[in-house]
């Protein structure tokens, strides 16, 4: 594994071009990447094109159906002004999906990255350095055992007001939520990475690297991390979905964003009671969440293949 | 390995006591009041009296000590009495729930059957789906099977159970009227027809949870298999002329199991923790529902006891996972 | 509404006719679902509605409120009054005489000793009895003879129906609870879960927070009742699931308290298996305005009388807030048939409802704007009004609940139209309604500019309810934030008038004073009423005899329920 890296380096061409070439051949990854790019751009720049305020109520235009309902029901209450329909208070669904996407994507990515970085760091250190193993794993057990809800309530109570003062109400809550989700979801990654590292460090190539005096830092970054990438990728994909859904559970409990602040998870939750009357209100946020997660999954697959020199060489 | 196990078991005891203290302090610190569900028509001075009757006025260290004694001494004694018809624990205060004013452990014992039936069954089912799914998906990477499996499991994982549960109820209970939407916890399986009813009422909650579990474990299984399928030792084994089945199902699988074992072991305590949302949607009223109602009612003895039981399971199953690592890969040594 | 009532009335009449020939236990099983699961069958230990309702199946009080809020005899032959000599002329004692021949479900006779015991049980100092306030002012309970018991009060009590009227204070069997007094209450798990009672049903198995199975009481006083042989009382889940199980799948016969949006209920009703029913007591969804400054810079003096609110202490701002609200729309969106319009904090009974505040029923954005202009609050470039550097920016908190969040969004919009900026906050109900002095988010602390919740009074007498807004009831750090005067309203004239109410016995005069007190609160705009809320439950089409009673327990007449064939 390491020798391949060294060889590629020796060539004048940057190894990342190889990775990119390999990545491009992975159809799923390209489609996934395209979708992710599309949805990210849509939620970021969509509101500049579709300028309706997602919090603006228009009670006369409540319960509008999406425009495509006309295809099978010519009597449906629709309007070109609200192509995706409106909710029970007359807020525009398209504007809500875009505004909600900004929040859900931001929360999902930041919380997931936080949890993955924490989990990986703790897992690698515990697996590689025997003297930290016991302590770090007992620490992990402790976090696994803490009841989530009271923990979040305490975090909210202790830090909400001070964060609100320094970062404003929305940014303050955002920081609280990502930290809350991050520090309550890193444990699985930590245990998986540690388990893999425990096995890896007895493998021949690691023993060989150690015998030539590779420093622990080098060992971790060059030999261990690349070999635990794939479970980390899976953790990241699952973690993204988990963070987006957990955020909605938090706002339901009153621990999240203010109630008129749409997020994908909350749109889905609020619409569940009316799924028979207005199926579009559950379908669209549902599709947004699962397709985002699905595309991240494919990108992860593509990256994994691209980063694996054995496959790349094939 | 035996040495390691014994040493870890011994370390577990102070670890658990420390965890119980942290949980206790966390619950003390958490905002909330056992009187929150008492109607607003009850005046504050009466609520204050009710709090005192629950022992809320006592200093924190005394409350903690009382719980320790009750949990580690009185409850085991009571269990002993119950099993051997003795009377050692008579007159001793057990851990009493604030909501029901009855022993916490009795309610826990009452809830275990339905939790195991539904959540436990879905976990077993989830694992049984996930392992072959992961193995085949990896072995035939990018085949149709793999693509469909990936799609279903990622959608299954990313659509929350509060939605899938209600969706199943709307389709199968309301429209088709095939299955009951409310789980009957008093139902006893005595003959074939009652077994059929039990299966009918379990199908929806079990499939919601099994899909979720299978998606998660299956992804790890697949990723780990993929990592190992390309290793040199696989090529060597094939070159030696070992049958493909043996290569994949013995050598590769064995080496791929470490992350999967980790995930499975982490999931078992969660089985006992119950599935809060799914239990709520289908009214299964297992341990998850018990925990969430206790948290909402701020029933601290109940929350503390339940969380601590989960903590014991977490420590235990993580230990089992560590031991299994050594069994799967004899090169891993802890000594 | 009246139509619904009439329908129920005729169903009831029909039931009487069919019941004459019915026999006990002939109608099989009845299934009830409560989305909050009962934790105990002893209302003296819990006080939660779910527990009181479950216990009402088994244990009963001497008198009850009927569906119109009138007191009717239950375990007695007549309600004691001054006229029939049951209440002493000086209003200091009430004498109850039990029906003769009453039996507990274990076959023993119900005696006056059981009544006295129940009072002693609740008044025992270490018991932490949830219903203690109903025994407030009771100095002694004395046995006159086997069936007669006299309750004496410390001072003249114009309304002596606190103890043993209504489902909250039933009669317990002395023999069963003898060893459960005071601190020993929690040791009596069996008695608390399976009380011996006089009601239509007895518990066969009680699973706390899950399900109760009951069977007909063989000793019940009417030999033809109850019609059902067994009952399943399931708890848990959510309101939507409960409604679905009754109205769409038909698995259950009765679902309690369906707090769902009207369009969701209407859709469920299309299922055709059951119907929703509504009843109104005194529950009012309201805004409580914080008259004091909640700014966090004030530290310990936050939300106390020491610092008046920078702009909400101005009555014109409060009035403008109320004028901008379209109450009819709130009712329609949030409660539909389970909501009525009101401009009072005491909306019922009819004699106590003030006729003087009707102006709030029409939304008046222009008027509100004019009022704020006149008060000197000018709109800034961002559309938010301010005066002397004080921006009209409001933090609006409430508990987490779908309808409340819709209300918040609507009201925020209306207020933005009159140049007031609103930040919304919702808090988990177990924190919001809890009294944890360590939490900043309780409704007593009110560390916000205003908050929304619903409240009512039990029974039909508003005296203690109106007493909430006396000066001495203001929550503050000195009282560990206990107290019920959330707006921190303090007016000596109000306190004096309330003192007068406490000393008045004449019902007409009491009604007049209550209306005056209500009007003082309303005209000060310290409390802004939004909707008079009803209780919405649902029952299966095949379940007869249901008579939704919101003044007592919903389970008050389960012995009369039967299966329509």
């Amino acid at each position: 594994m390491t020798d391949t890296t060294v060889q590629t380096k020796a060539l004048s061409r940057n190894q990342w071009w190889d990775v990119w070439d390999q990545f491009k051949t992975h159809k799923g990854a390209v489609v996934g990447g395209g979708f992710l790019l599309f949805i990210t751009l849509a939620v970021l720049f969509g509101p500049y094109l579709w300028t309706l305020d997602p919090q603006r109520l228009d009670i006369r235009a409540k319960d509008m159906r999406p425009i495509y309902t006309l295809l099978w029901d010519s009597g449906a209450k629709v309007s070109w002004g609200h192509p995706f329909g409106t909710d029970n208070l007359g807020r525009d669904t398209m504007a809500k999906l875009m505004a909600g996407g900004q929040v859900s994507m931001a929360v999902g990515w930041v919380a997931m990255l936080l949890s993955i970085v924490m989990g990986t760091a703790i897992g690698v250190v515990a697996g590689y350095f025997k003297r930290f193993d016991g302590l770090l794993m007992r620490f992990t057990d402790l976090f696994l055992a803490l009841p989530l809800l009271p923990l979040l309530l305490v975090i909210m109570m202790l830090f909400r007001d001070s964060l609100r003062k320094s970062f404003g109400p929305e940014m303050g809550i955002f920081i609280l939520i990502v930290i809350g989700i991050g520090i309550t979801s890193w444990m699985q990654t930590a245990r998986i990475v540690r388990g893999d590292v425990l096995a890896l460090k007895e493998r021949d190539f690691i023993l060989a690297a150690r015998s030539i005096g590779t420093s622990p830092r080098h060992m971790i970054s060059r030999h261990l991390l690349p070999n635990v990438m794939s479970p980390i990728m899976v953790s990241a994909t699952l973690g993204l979905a988990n963070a987006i859904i957990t955020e909605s559970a938090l706002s339901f409990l009153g621990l999240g964003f203010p109630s008129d602040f749409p997020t994908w998870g909350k749109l889905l939750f609020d619409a569940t009671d009316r799924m028979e009357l207005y199926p579009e209100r559950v379908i669209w946020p549902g599709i947004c969440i699962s397709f985002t997660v699905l595309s991240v999954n494919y990108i992860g697959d593509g990256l994994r293949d691209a980063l694996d020199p054995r496959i790349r060489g094939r | 390995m035996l040495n390691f196990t014994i040493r870890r078991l011994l370390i577990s005891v102070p670890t658990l006591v420390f965890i119980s203290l942290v949980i206790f302090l966390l619950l003390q610190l958490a905002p909330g009041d056992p009187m929150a569900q008492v109607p607003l028509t009850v005046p504050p001075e009466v609520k204050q009296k009710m709090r005192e009757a629950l022992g809320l006025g006592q200093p924190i260290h005394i409350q903690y000590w009382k719980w320790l004694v009750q949990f580690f001494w009185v409850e085991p004694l009571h269990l002993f009495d119950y099993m051997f018809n003795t009377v050692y624990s008579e007159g001793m205060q057990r851990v009493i729930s604030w909501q029901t004013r009855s022993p916490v452990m009795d309610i826990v014992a009452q809830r275990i059957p339905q939790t195991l039936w539904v959540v436990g069954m879905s976990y077993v089912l989830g694992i049984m789906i996930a392992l072959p799914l992961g193995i085949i998906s990896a072995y035939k990477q990018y085949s149709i099977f793999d693509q469909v499996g990936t799609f279903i499991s990622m959608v299954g994982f990313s659509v929350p159970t509060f939605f899938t549960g209600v969706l199943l109820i709307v389709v199968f209970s309301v429209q088709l009227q095939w299955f009951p939407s409310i789980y009957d916890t008093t139902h006893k399986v005595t003959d074939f027809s009652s077994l059929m009813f039990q299966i009918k009422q379990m199908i929806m909650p079990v499939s919601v949870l099994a899909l979720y579990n299978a998606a998660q474990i299956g992804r790890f299984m697949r990723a780990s298999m993929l990592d190992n399928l390309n290793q040199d030792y696989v090529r060597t084994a094939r070159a030696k002329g070992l049958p493909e089945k043996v290569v994949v199902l013995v050598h590769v699988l064995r080496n791929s199991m470490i992350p999967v074992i980790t995930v499975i072991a982490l999931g078992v305590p969660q089985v006992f923790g119950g599935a809060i949302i799914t239990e709520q949607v289908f009214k299964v009223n297992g341990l998850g529902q018990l925990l969430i109602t206790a948290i909402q009612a701020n029933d601290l003895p109940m929350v503390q006891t339940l969380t601590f039981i989960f903590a014991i399971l977490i420590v235990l199953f993580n230990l089992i996972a560590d031991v299994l690592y050594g069994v799967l890969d004899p090169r891993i040594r802890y000594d | 509404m009246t139509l619904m009532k009439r329908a129920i009335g005729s169903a009831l009449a029909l039931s009487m006719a069919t019941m004459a020939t019915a026999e006990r236990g002939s109608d099989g099983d009845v299934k009830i679902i409560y989305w909050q699961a009962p934790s105990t069958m002893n209302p003296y230990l819990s006080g939660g509605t779910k527990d009181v309702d479950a216990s009402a199946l088994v244990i009963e009080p001497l008198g009850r409120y009927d569906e119109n809020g009138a007191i009717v005899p239950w375990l007695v032959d007549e309600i004691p009054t001054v006229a029939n000599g049951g209440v002493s002329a000086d209003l200091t004692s009430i004498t109850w005489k039990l029906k003769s021949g009453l039996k507990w479900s274990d076959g023993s006779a119900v005696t006056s000793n059981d009544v006295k015991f129940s009072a002693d049980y609740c008044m025992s100092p270490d018991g932490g009895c949830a219903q203690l306030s109903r025994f407030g002012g009771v100095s002694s309970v004395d046995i006159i003879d086997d069936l007669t018991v006299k309750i004496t009060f410390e001072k003249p009590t114009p309304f002596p129906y606190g103890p043993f009227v209504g489902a909250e204070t039933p009669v317990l069997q002395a023999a069963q609870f003898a060893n459960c007094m005071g601190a020993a209450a929690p040791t009596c798990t069996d008695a608390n879960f399976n009380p011996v009672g006089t009601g239509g049903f007895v518990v066969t198995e009680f699973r706390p927070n899950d399900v109760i199975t009951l069977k007909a009481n063989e000793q019940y006083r009417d030999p033809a009742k109850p019609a059902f042989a067994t009952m399943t009382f399931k708890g848990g889940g959510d309101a939507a699931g409960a409604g679905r199980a009754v109205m769409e799948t038909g698995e259950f016969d009765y679902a309690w308290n369906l707090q769902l949006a009207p369009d969701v209920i209407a859709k469920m009703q299309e299922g055709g298996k059951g119907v929703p029913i509504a009843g109104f007591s005194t529950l009012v969804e309201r805004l409580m305005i914080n008259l004091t400054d909640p700014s966090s810079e004030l530290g310990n003096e936050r939300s106390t009388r020491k610092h008046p609110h920078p702009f909400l202490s101005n009555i014109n701002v409060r009035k403008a807030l109320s004028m901008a609200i379209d109450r009819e729309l709130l009712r329609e969106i949030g409660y539909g048939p389970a909501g009525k319009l009101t401009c009072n904090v005491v909306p019922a009974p009819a004699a106590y409802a003030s006729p003087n505040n009707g102006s709030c029923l029409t939304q008046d954005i222009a008027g509100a704007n004019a009022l704020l202009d006149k008060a000197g609050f000018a709109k800034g470039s961002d559309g938010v009004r301010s005066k002397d550097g004080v921006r009209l920016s409001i933090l609006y908190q409430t508990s987490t609940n779908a309808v409340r969040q819709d209300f918040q969004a609507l009201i925020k919009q209306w207020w933005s139209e009159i140049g007031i900026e609103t930040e919304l906050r919702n808090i988990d109900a177990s924190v919001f309604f809890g009294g944890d002095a360590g939490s900043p988010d309780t409704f007593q602390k009110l560390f916000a500019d205003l908050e929304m919740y619903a409240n009512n009074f039990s029974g039909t007498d508003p005296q203690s309810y109106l007493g909430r807004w006396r000066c001495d009831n203001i929550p503050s750090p000195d009282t560990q934030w206990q107290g019920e005067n959330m707006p921190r309203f303090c007016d000596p004239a109000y306190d004096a008038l309330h003192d007068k109410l406490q000393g008045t016995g004449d019902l007409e005069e009491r009604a007049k004073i209550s209306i005056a007190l209500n009007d003082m609160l309303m005209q000060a705009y310290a409390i802004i009423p939004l909707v008079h809320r009803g209780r919405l439950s649902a029952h299966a089409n095949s379940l007869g005899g249901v008579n939704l009673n919101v003044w007592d327990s919903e389970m008050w007449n389960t012995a009369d329920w039967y299966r329509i064939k």
Side-chain angles (χ1 to χ4, degrees), chain C residues 77-104:
Chain C
D77 288 316
E78 63 171 352
I79 294 294
T81 58
V82 180
N84 65 23
V87 178
S88 66
D90 61 356
L91 304 175
T92 55
S93 73
I94 180 168
T95 307
W96 294 91
K97 194 166 172 13
L98 285 163
K99 269 184 186 166
S100 59
L102 278 178
K103 289 246 165 48
W104 291 107

Side-chain angles (χ1 to χ4, degrees), chain A residues 46-60:
Chain A
Y48 293 103
L49 300 173
W50 187 251
T51 49
L52 279 182
D53 179 356
Q55 300 185 357
R56 167 90 202 166
L57 309 181
D58 179 5
I59 210 73
R60 269 156 314 190

Side-chain angles (χ1 to χ4, degrees), chain A residues 8-23:
Chain A
T8 3
K9 251 199 176 161
L11 298 173
S12 59
R13 207 167 113 99
N14 187 321
Q15 58 162 329
W16 292 107
W17 284 110
D18 286 350
V19 172
W20 173 241
D21 282 344
Q22 175 66 30
F23 184 81

Side-chain angles (χ1 to χ4, degrees), chain A residues 55-57 59 62 88-89 91 153 157 160 164-165 169 251-254 258-260 273-274 276-277, chain C residues 240 248 261 263-264 267 296 329 333 400 405-406 408-410 412-413 423-426 428 438 440-441:
Chain A
Q55 300 185 357
R56 167 90 202 166
L57 309 181
I59 210 73
K62 70 168 181 170
N88 62 321
L89 298 180
R91 287 174 288 209
L153 281 171
M157 185 182 81
R160 189 187 58 204
R164 187 168 174 265
K165 213 177 282 166
S251 47
F252 170 65
L253 290 165
S259 56
D260 56 344
D273 277 349
R274 296 186 177 88
E276 283 175 274
L277 286 166
Chain C
E248 291 194 281
D263 56 330
V264 177
K267 170 70 192 165
S296 57
L329 190 61
I333 294 271
T400 304
Q405 267 74 79
D406 283 353
Q408 280 187 312
L410 283 164
K412 175 179 177 173
Q413 167 112 347
E423 184 193 334
L424 305 182
R425 177 179 291 171
N426 56 310
D428 190 44
D441 289 330

Side-chain angles (χ1 to χ4, degrees), chain B residues 283-297:
Chain B
K283 286 94 187 162
V284 178
N285 294 355
L287 291 169
Q289 186 259 7
L290 188 65
L291 179 66
I292 191 76
T293 47
I295 288 176
Q296 280 163 354

Side-chain angles (χ1 to χ4, degrees), chain B residues 200-272:
Chain B
K200 258 182 151 181
Q201 68 171 350
M202 277 171 56
I203 284 182
M204 290 197 295
V206 167
S207 40
V208 165
L209 285 172
L211 176 65
Y212 183 85
N213 289 326
Q216 189 182 12
I217 300 168
R219 296 316 292 172
F220 282 108
M221 183 78 244
R222 176 178 177 274
S224 187
M225 285 291 283
L226 280 176
D227 270 357
N228 278 287
L229 276 169
N230 295 319
Q231 296 286 350
D232 298 337
Y233 72 84
V234 181
R235 231 171 290 154
T236 319
R238 280 187 184 134
K240 275 200 308 196
L242 285 177
E244 188 68 8
K245 238 188 194 156
V246 175
V247 173
V248 176
L249 292 183
V250 177
H251 294 258
V252 180
L253 186 60
R254 184 178 175 138
N255 281 297
S256 312
M257 279 310 273
I258 285 183
V260 180
I261 289 288
T262 313
V263 177
I264 292 178
L266 283 172
V268 176
Q270 284 168 19
V271 169
F272 287 85

Side-chain angles (χ1 to χ4, degrees), chain A:
Chain A
M1 160 150 299
T2 42
D3 49 358
T4 332
T5 330
V6 177
Q7 273 171 24
T8 3
K9 251 199 176 161
L11 298 173
S12 59
R13 207 167 113 99
N14 187 321
Q15 58 162 329
W16 292 107
W17 284 110
D18 286 350
V19 172
W20 173 241
D21 282 344
Q22 175 66 30
F23 184 81
K24 273 192 303 192
T25 62
H26 191 290
K27 232 184 276 166
V30 172
V31 173
F35 181 79
L36 192 68
L37 192 69
F38 163 74
I39 199 137
T40 310
L41 292 177
V43 300
L44 280 182
F45 299 107
Y48 293 103
L49 300 173
W50 187 251
T51 49
L52 279 182
D53 179 356
Q55 300 185 357
R56 167 90 202 166
L57 309 181
D58 179 5
I59 210 73
R60 269 156 314 190
K62 70 168 181 170
D63 293 336
M64 288 274 186
R65 305 302 305 271
I67 205 80
Y68 57 79
T69 320
L70 283 179
L71 291 177
W72 61 88
D73 177 9
S74 55
K77 184 181 169 190
V78 296
S79 151
W80 281 107
H82 303 287
F84 278 59
T86 57
D87 70 0
N88 62 321
L89 298 180
R91 287 174 288 209
D92 184 65
T93 304
M94 182 130 114
K96 275 169 59 169
L97 279 174
M98 291 189 297
Q102 288 181 2
V103 183
S104 284
M105 295 272 260
V107 169
W109 281 103
V110 179
M112 179 267 272
L113 286 175
L114 191 69
S115 118
I116 292 295
V117 169
M118 255 182 102
T120 309
I122 291 179
V124 168
V125 172
Y128 190 74
F129 303 103
K130 190 172 257 164
R131 59 183 180 281
F132 294 126
D133 187 30
L135 193 67
L136 282 176
M137 282 302 109
R138 299 301 77 74
F139 181 68
T140 312
D141 286 349
L142 170 68
F143 263 81
L144 280 166
L146 288 181
L148 187 64
L149 210 56
L151 180 68
L152 289 167
L153 281 171
V154 168
I155 296 176
M156 278 287 164
M157 185 182 81
L158 294 180
F159 303 112
R160 189 187 58 204
D161 279 352
S162 47
L163 280 174
R164 187 168 174 265
K165 213 177 282 166
S166 7
F167 297 98
E170 278 154 23
M171 196 60 198
I173 288 281
F174 177 80
I175 293 175
L176 266 182
I177 288 177
V178 293
I179 291 180
I181 297 175
I183 66 162
T184 52
S185 60
W186 55 268
M187 294 82 77
Q188 193 185 39
T189 317
R191 287 223 30 115
I192 291 169
V193 169
R194 166 186 172 265
D196 267 1
V197 171
L198 279 179
L200 275 174
K201 73 175 182 188
E202 306 299 337
R203 292 260 175 92
D204 300 337
F205 73 94
I206 298 284
L207 295 176
R210 193 180 294 169
S211 67
I212 58 164
T214 313
S215 72
R217 222 187 64 172
H218 202 75
M219 188 80 98
I220 288 171
S221 61
R222 274 295 158 82
H223 302 296
L224 290 179
L225 276 184
N227 280 295
V228 291
M229 250 354 248
S230 55
I232 293 178
M233 288 286 182
V234 175
S235 281
T237 318
L238 300 179
L240 181 72
N242 193 38
I244 292 177
I245 293 163
T246 310
E247 183 281 320
S248 67
L250 291 186
S251 47
F252 170 65
L253 290 165
L255 299 175
F257 291 102
S259 56
D260 56 344
F261 211 83
T263 69
W264 284 344
K266 198 155 61 184
L267 290 177
L268 186 58
F269 183 86
D270 289 348
T272 302
D273 277 349
R274 296 186 177 88
M275 72 163 80
E276 283 175 274
L277 286 166
Y278 306 104
E280 65 274 10
R281 292 190 203 161
V282 289
I283 290 172
W284 290 111
I287 284 182
C288 287
I289 299 175
S290 40
F291 278 39
T292 303
V293 174
L294 205 58
S295 57
V296 171
N297 172 69
Y298 283 125
I299 295 173
D301 271 2
L303 266 183
R304 206 198 66 82
D305 287 2
L307 288 173
D308 188 338
R310 274 184 233 94
I311 296 182
R312 203 164 59 212
R314 260 202 320 236

